[in-house]
Amino acid sequence: MADKINPEYEIEEIEVNSLVDRSKELIDSGYRFSQASAAYVDDKFELSYSFSNYDNYGLLNLRVVIDTDTEVKSITEVVPAAVFYENEMHELFGVKIVDIAIDYKDRLYRIKSECPFGPDKKEEE
């Protein structure tokens, strides 16, 4: 049991090309993958990959800010559970994630519009 009442929370901004390696470092040091999410802000994608430390209840977010045309290498080779999050980021936001272990090819959700939260959002008429 952790002896901390207020666990640590940290955001670590990293470059897109170090995402897989940094994720592996965290997994190898005892962190567990918690979740990943995307946001479209100021004409860029902000990707957050969250890792939990169960020893001290700490949370570390890897934050990647990229242009909308930047390709992101999937972390599923080191974190298989990221498959659903990365498919979601691709399908809902249009993030160009490559080499996902299982690529649902925009069929994870049954949605009427393509990339409803991304930069090329097409309004329903």
Side-chain angles (χ1 to χ4, degrees):
M1 183 129 208
D3 55 1
K4 290 188 175 187
I5 295 174
N6 296 314
E8 294 179 25
Y9 174 73
E10 184 179 350
I11 296 174
E12 181 180 319
E13 290 200 25
I14 62 171
E15 297 296 319
V16 66
N17 59 358
S18 63
L19 179 61
V20 174
D21 290 339
R22 185 66 180 118
S23 297
K24 182 170 180 6
E25 288 172 5
L26 291 171
I27 294 297
D28 290 347
S29 69
Y31 279 80
R32 293 182 181 224
F33 174 73
S34 298
Q35 65 91 30
S37 61
Y40 179 63
V41 179
D42 296 330
D43 297 324
K44 294 190 179 293
F45 287 126
E46 289 186 9
L47 310 180
S48 294
Y49 286 78
S50 301
F51 294 82
S52 301
N53 182 324
Y54 289 176
D55 291 334
N56 66 7
Y57 299 112
L59 179 67
L60 173 63
N61 278 323
L62 298 180
R63 177 76 44 85
V64 179
V65 179
I66 56 171
D67 292 323
T68 57
D69 60 347
T70 301
E71 288 187 345
V72 178
K73 174 115 171 73
S74 171
I75 68 166
T76 54
E77 68 183 60
V78 294
V79 183
V83 68
F84 297 107
Y85 296 99
E86 290 184 332
N87 272 282
E88 179 180 82
M89 291 189 294
H90 170 73
E91 188 169 339
L92 297 180
F93 290 88
V95 179
K96 293 175 174 49
I97 300 179
V98 297
D99 299 328
I100 302 174
I102 302 170
D103 188 343
Y104 283 87
K105 309 269 187 220
D106 294 329
R107 298 286 184 243
L108 182 63
Y109 293 107
R110 294 179 181 181
I111 53 178
K112 293 181 180 181
S113 62
E114 184 178 323
C115 301
F117 306 119
D120 298 324
K121 178 180 163 181
K122 296 177 181 165
E123 297 293 327
E124 294 293 317
E125 296 184 27

